[in-house]
Amino acid sequence: MFARGLRKPSSVRIAGKRLSDVLAAHERFARAAEGGSRAELAGVDLARLDLAGVVLTHANLAGARLDGACLREAKLTSADLSGAKLKKTDLRTCDATGANFAGADLTEADLSGAELFRADFTGCVLRRASMRAANFRQAILRNADLTGADLNVASLRQTDIEGAKLDGADMSTSIIRKV
């Protein structure tokens, strides 16, 4: 299902620059290296792109369109993905510690094995998403729509799920504990 027919970052231009160059500069920014600059990708169409393993720590992706993209093993620590479109996006084993997904649409996305510690999913749509073995410790899922989601073996320790819609969600082997 994932990784077929994806575009390469070198084939996409944003404000006259190749996306691959923007990503390379952002990786330097994330490392605080010379020549780095923050990736400002708010509202940009990044659908069906192969972004596996990219470093987007602290990147601005608010409102970006990432439907069907591959972000497997990507570094999304403290990234702003609020209001982003991430339908059917591959986020397996990504590190999104402290990322902001508030209001994002992750319908049928795959977040299996993802590190989502302290991430904010307030009002997020996660219908039929696969989140097997994901770590949601201290995350916020307040008012999120998890209808039909697979949360087996997911860690929901100290997670705020107040007002979340859990109709048909499979949580039979989830780890849930409030402290």
Side-chain angles (χ1 to χ4, degrees):
M1 171 173 140
F2 296 112
R4 288 202 168 142
L6 296 179
R7 301 180 296 156
K8 300 213 178 293
S10 59
S11 70
V12 175
R13 290 202 172 273
I14 296 166
K17 295 181 185 175
R18 247 189 240 142
L19 178 59
S20 54
D21 295 336
V22 171
L23 295 173
H26 184 80
E27 186 172 0
R28 289 190 298 276
F29 166 80
R31 289 185 286 119
E34 189 174 321
S37 62
R38 183 177 187 213
E40 292 292 341
L41 302 169
V44 174
D45 184 355
L46 303 172
R48 307 253 343 118
L49 268 169
D50 184 358
L51 299 169
V54 298
V55 176
L56 289 166
T57 300
H58 295 286
N60 182 5
L61 295 154
R65 184 170 167 243
L66 290 145
D67 295 325
C70 178
L71 286 158
R72 188 176 189 168
E73 298 181 4
K75 304 296 182 225
L76 299 166
T77 308
S78 299
D80 184 358
L81 291 133
S82 60
K85 306 295 181 233
L86 296 141
K87 290 181 180 178
K88 296 185 178 183
T89 298
D90 182 356
L91 291 151
R92 290 177 289 173
T93 63
C94 75
D95 182 355
T97 299
N100 180 8
F101 289 93
D105 187 349
L106 288 124
T107 300
E108 296 182 15
D110 193 344
L111 292 106
S112 299
E115 180 58 59
L116 306 167
F117 179 66
R118 292 186 177 159
D120 185 353
F121 290 91
T122 301
C124 197
V125 178
L126 290 151
R127 287 186 210 115
R128 297 177 306 284
S130 178
M131 297 171 274
R132 296 179 69 81
N135 180 14
F136 284 95
R137 188 166 171 253
Q138 294 182 11
I140 302 167
L141 288 161
R142 186 177 285 240
N143 300 317
D145 183 352
L146 296 149
T147 303
D150 181 356
L151 286 151
N152 278 301
V153 199
S155 176
L156 296 162
R157 291 182 175 147
Q158 301 169 313
T159 302
D160 181 355
I161 58 172
E162 186 176 322
K165 188 174 181 180
L166 299 166
D167 301 332
D170 188 349
M171 300 173 72
S172 56
T173 59
S174 297
I175 301 162
I176 304 171
R177 183 173 56 123
K178 282 258 190 202
V179 176

